[in-house]
Amino acid sequence: MNTPQESAYTFHLLTPQRWADFERLFGAHGAYGGCWCMFWFLRGSAFTRGQGEANRLAMKSRVEAGETPGMLAYLGDEPVGWCAFGPREGYPRLQAARTLKPVDNLPVWSVVCFYVAKGHRRRGVSKALLKAVIEEVRRRGGKVVEGYPSPSTGEGRPGPFVYLGLEAAFREAGFVDVARPTPHRLIMRYVIENA
């Protein structure tokens, strides 16, 4: 199967009108074991208690209240990828993470999760999503987009274990290293010019 060109993908923020596509992409189990992309919004046992239906309903409630917690990537009419992003201060678990402390006082938009449909992995979806997120943050007046990818290539690791993304995708999208808090975690940034 040929890898689609980046221009083949289209991108849409998750809104109530696109909720069915989000559910279709995440499947019956909510992507990562019932996460439904609520991991960074909930701390400790609140997340564990919610795994599954409670997390699905919590995310749906956020979307119905007007939040746009991330962006969907489409190939034609098929949702093939997801990237969660938002202002860092909106993620309680990230705010409390000892290994991902802020590197300075700049306001940043954090990229906290990716999910790519099984048949579309290793085809550039994450990189394309990152570029679309940068443009959305630019549109909203943000200046810094930050991610926390694994510095490994991901070889031999199942897709679900690279939910924060891979260094290569961030680098290809123009992000640069700003810190390495642990051997297994990077903090990378894209600074938006003329924002």
Side-chain angles (χ1 to χ4, degrees), residues 4-15:
Q5 296 292 318
E6 259 182 62
S7 60
Y9 298 109
T10 57
F11 306 94
H12 297 280
L13 293 171
L14 178 57
T15 62

Side-chain angles (χ1 to χ4, degrees), residues 122-187:
R122 299 175 189 247
R123 301 178 77 194
V125 176
S126 294
K127 179 177 87 167
L129 273 163
L130 280 169
K131 289 182 174 181
V133 165
I134 289 167
E135 289 311 307
E136 179 61 22
V137 171
R138 182 193 311 273
R139 189 185 71 75
R140 295 187 196 188
K143 294 182 174 16
V144 181
V145 184
E146 189 172 85
Y148 318 98
S150 167
S152 75
T153 62
E155 292 299 322
R157 295 173 64 187
F161 298 104
V162 292
Y163 67 95
L164 283 169
L166 292 172
E167 174 186 3
F170 280 85
R171 209 167 291 292
E172 289 171 18
F175 285 70
V176 297
D177 302 18
V178 292
R180 187 182 288 256
T182 75
H184 305 291
R185 188 62 57 215
L186 285 169
I187 298 177

Side-chain angles (χ1 to χ4, degrees), residues 48-185:
T48 305
R49 283 193 310 271
Q51 283 183 289
E53 183 65 3
N55 280 351
R56 185 187 76 81
L57 292 173
M59 179 57 77
K60 187 175 186 184
S61 178
R62 286 177 172 275
V63 173
E64 288 175 345
E67 290 185 37
T68 51
M71 186 172 290
L72 291 160
Y74 291 79
L75 188 57
D77 292 331
E78 182 184 1
V80 298
W82 162 256
C83 180
F85 71 100
R88 181 186 169 99
E89 62 270 15
Y91 298 112
R93 187 182 290 258
L94 181 58
Q95 293 291 82
R98 290 192 309 262
T99 59
L100 295 174
K101 291 180 180 174
V103 296
D104 53 33
N105 292 325
L106 291 176
V108 301
W109 288 70
S110 293
V111 174
V112 295
C113 188
F114 292 91
Y115 183 75
V116 177
K118 191 172 185 180
H120 297 272
R121 294 176 186 156
R122 299 175 189 247
R123 301 178 77 194
V125 176
S126 294
K127 179 177 87 167
L129 273 163
L130 280 169
K131 289 182 174 181
V133 165
I134 289 167
E135 289 311 307
E136 179 61 22
V137 171
R138 182 193 311 273
R139 189 185 71 75
R140 295 187 196 188
K143 294 182 174 16
V144 181
V145 184
E146 189 172 85
Y148 318 98
S150 167
S152 75
T153 62
E155 292 299 322
R157 295 173 64 187
F161 298 104
V162 292
Y163 67 95
L164 283 169
L166 292 172
E167 174 186 3
F170 280 85
R171 209 167 291 292
E172 289 171 18
F175 285 70
V176 297
D177 302 18
V178 292
R180 187 182 288 256
T182 75
H184 305 291
R185 188 62 57 215

